[in-house]
Amino acid sequence: HPATLFAQGNLADALADVGEIEEAEGMTRDGLERRERVFGPLSPSTLSSRNNLATVLMRQNLNNEALEI
């Protein structure tokens, strides 16, 4: 359900905010995969999730991987 995907994204953001970066990354990756299936790869929701994943990766100094997102 779309509301579940939005809640998952919010939880991942909260985890990142409190320093649980690795858990946030996993949750964000999962959410991105689900959003691509539900909304399609170019929907605003999916693109926002891609941005969130890139941000989490950059917080881990994984800049090259973030650029690929």
Side-chain angles (χ1 to χ4, degrees):
H1 190 276
T4 304
L5 296 175
F6 292 116
Q8 181 181 24
N10 291 339
L11 178 55
D13 289 343
L15 288 168
D17 288 345
V18 297
E20 298 292 332
I21 301 295
E22 290 179 10
E23 189 172 350
E25 178 189 343
M27 190 169 289
T28 304
R29 285 184 185 277
D30 180 65
L32 174 58
E33 180 182 304
R34 291 171 189 248
R35 286 177 190 226
E36 285 178 339
R37 281 193 312 243
V38 172
F39 301 119
L42 298 178
S43 80
S45 177
T46 302
L47 296 174
S48 177
S49 189
R50 281 188 187 283
N51 180 70
N52 293 345
L53 178 56
T55 299
V56 168
L57 292 170
M58 289 189 318
R59 289 179 72 173
Q60 297 176 80
N61 293 317
L62 299 172
N63 297 330
N64 289 334
E65 189 174 350
L67 286 171
E68 293 175 13
I69 299 297

